[in-house]
Amino acid sequence: MIIEFEKKDFNIKHIFECGQAFRWYDDGDHFTSIHKGKVIYIREEENKIYINSPLEDFDSKIWEKYFDLKKDYGKIKNSLIDNEELNKAKEFGYGIRILKQDEFETIISFIISANNMIPRIKKSIETISSMYGDLIFEDEKRRYYSFPSPERLASADPKDLRKYARVGFRDERIVTASKMLLEPSFNINLLKNMETDILREKLIELPGVGPKVADCILLFGFGRAEVFPVDVWIKRVMEELFIGEEVPKSKIKLYANKYFGNLAGYAQQYLFYYGRENNIGKERKKENKAK
DNA sequence: TAGCAGGACGTAA
DNA sequence: TTACGTCCTGCT
């Protein structure tokens, strides 16, 4: 079974490489992605996108939701302020979409992301899935495992997470957060219905979740598109392109809100991808250090 | 081999 | 409220 649609505001590479997701592979002529215990192959041809699954139980609705296909990203881009630098970023990452990822997986993934780098985060998540998830499929490239349930991760030994999944000091955080997420006050349906600021406070109760990680979870796991996560990259990019001077991390959000309003999350993705791929702000940082 | 990159968190000012 | 040192791994 297959989903097929017009290639408009959709670029597979942009979607997966803009730093929002970790369970995907660039397999040359196609990308492979794992989500909610399912595997898909996704490829672009001329002006069409094809998503197909090697598994029997293919539910196109899951993937429509995951890729946010109902949303008109052209319209979003047009609604963002007309700013020269932002326009460049929009053009550069023209096919970015914000994925709607599984809530639990997003929480654990971004706890792992703290003080960490994307290739290492990907490796840790892959190992964790192979240790505590279920084998769902195998092709000539690799074996695919589902991301473990909160129950499975709650009973994991932090020492194993450290030793095999190389998560370092995040080991206890992962297990404790998984345990807390099994408590009634963290019931997923309860969380889903919370107002964004309340939900952020709730998420920060989890060990390993601070303001930045909470914002990533809100944006990528709970679909709160008005949220603007501030990491070292986006800080540099905002300072370089919009603010013109170094400001504390806490101030960056105020600028984002002023410029992008409730579309801040989309702007963040275009700017993050554009800034990181082009090393924006990094040179200036080096210069400052040399002084 | 030492240095660096990357957020959370505890402590101190 | 802000500023700092520490927690790890993997790369150069």
Side-chain angles (χ1 to χ4, degrees), chain A residues 3-19:
Chain A
I3 311 182
E4 177 187 328
F5 53 92
E6 290 289 310
K7 185 166 87 180
K8 187 177 167 282
D9 305 309
F10 195 113
N11 180 287
I12 304 168
K13 193 177 158 71
H14 294 170
I15 291 170
F16 287 124
E17 292 188 352
C18 69

Side-chain angles (χ1 to χ4, degrees), chain A residues 29-286:
Chain A
D29 61 336
H30 67 274
F31 277 70
T32 306
S33 176
I34 311 158
H35 167 65
K36 290 216 183 277
K38 313 278 184 226
V39 179
I40 50 152
Y41 302 133
I42 175 162
R43 67 179 202 282
E44 292 185 24
E45 262 172 46
E46 289 174 30
N47 44 21
K48 287 230 165 131
I49 304 286
Y50 297 90
I51 300 175
N52 70 301
S53 166
L55 297 169
E56 292 289 314
D57 58 337
F58 182 75
D59 181 357
S60 59
K61 288 221 167 62
I62 292 179
W63 301 100
E64 279 171 15
K65 193 174 173 197
Y66 179 67
F67 285 109
D68 202 14
L69 293 185
K70 291 268 156 67
K71 204 161 284 161
D72 183 348
Y73 276 68
K75 213 166 160 185
I76 290 167
K77 280 185 262 188
N78 287 334
S79 306
L80 282 163
I81 55 155
D82 185 17
N83 168 283
E84 197 187 332
E85 298 295 346
L86 183 63
N87 290 344
K88 277 191 218 163
K90 283 192 287 192
E91 219 164 286
F92 183 81
Y94 64 89
I96 287 177
R97 308 182 77 83
I98 295 182
L99 297 173
K100 171 66 189 77
Q101 302 181 64
D102 175 76
E103 292 85 359
F104 177 65
E105 179 174 336
T106 308
I107 292 169
I108 301 302
S109 298
F110 281 92
I111 287 175
I112 295 170
S113 81
N115 236 27
N116 211 341
M117 281 161 257
I118 292 169
R120 273 178 52 201
I121 302 164
K122 287 181 77 171
K123 246 182 227 168
S124 290
I125 294 171
E126 191 170 337
T127 307
I128 287 172
S129 300
S130 71
M131 287 168 77
Y132 305 102
D134 300 316
L135 179 64
I136 46 179
F137 181 65
E138 184 173 358
D139 64 14
E140 60 279 2
K141 289 248 168 36
R142 58 188 78 83
R143 287 178 169 180
Y144 300 94
Y145 296 86
S146 61
F147 191 81
S149 64
E151 287 83 1
R152 295 287 289 279
L153 263 189
S155 61
D157 185 343
K159 286 199 283 292
D160 291 335
L161 288 172
R162 184 179 284 242
K163 188 173 174 192
Y164 303 108
R166 318 297 291 167
V167 297
F169 57 82
R170 308 160 192 89
D171 56 354
E172 299 270 6
R173 299 175 179 181
I174 294 166
V175 176
T176 309
S178 299
K179 282 179 185 160
M180 287 172 70
L181 286 162
L182 291 169
E183 291 167 10
S185 78
F186 276 99
N187 176 281
I188 200 71
N189 288 317
L190 206 64
L191 301 184
K192 274 185 192 169
N193 290 314
M194 281 180 182
E195 197 264 318
T196 299
D197 288 332
I198 311 282
L199 178 53
R200 179 186 291 108
E201 291 311 307
K202 189 72 190 159
L203 290 169
I204 289 175
E205 287 178 24
L206 298 166
V209 180
K212 191 279 181 175
V213 169
D215 282 350
C216 287
I217 297 167
L218 287 167
L219 183 56
F220 307 130
F222 287 88
R224 308 300 170 96
E226 72 277 21
V227 172
F228 192 89
V230 180
D231 68 347
V232 286
W233 279 99
I234 206 76
K235 180 175 182 292
R236 281 182 214 141
V237 172
M238 286 297 286
E239 286 165 349
E240 185 82 17
L241 303 185
F242 285 86
I243 306 169
E245 59 174 332
E246 268 202 68
V247 296
K249 221 175 156 181
S250 52
K251 295 275 183 296
I252 304 275
K253 279 190 133 187
L254 301 175
Y255 284 95
N257 195 267
K258 179 179 141 195
Y259 289 116
F260 316 127
N262 62 355
L263 297 176
Y266 302 103
Q268 198 269 6
Q269 285 304 95
Y270 293 118
L271 289 170
F272 178 83
Y273 186 58
Y274 176 64
R276 206 190 47 180
E277 297 293 309
N278 297 289
N279 259 322
I280 290 183
K282 215 170 178 190
E283 287 310 309
R284 198 189 47 159
K285 196 192 163 204
K286 265 188 203 159

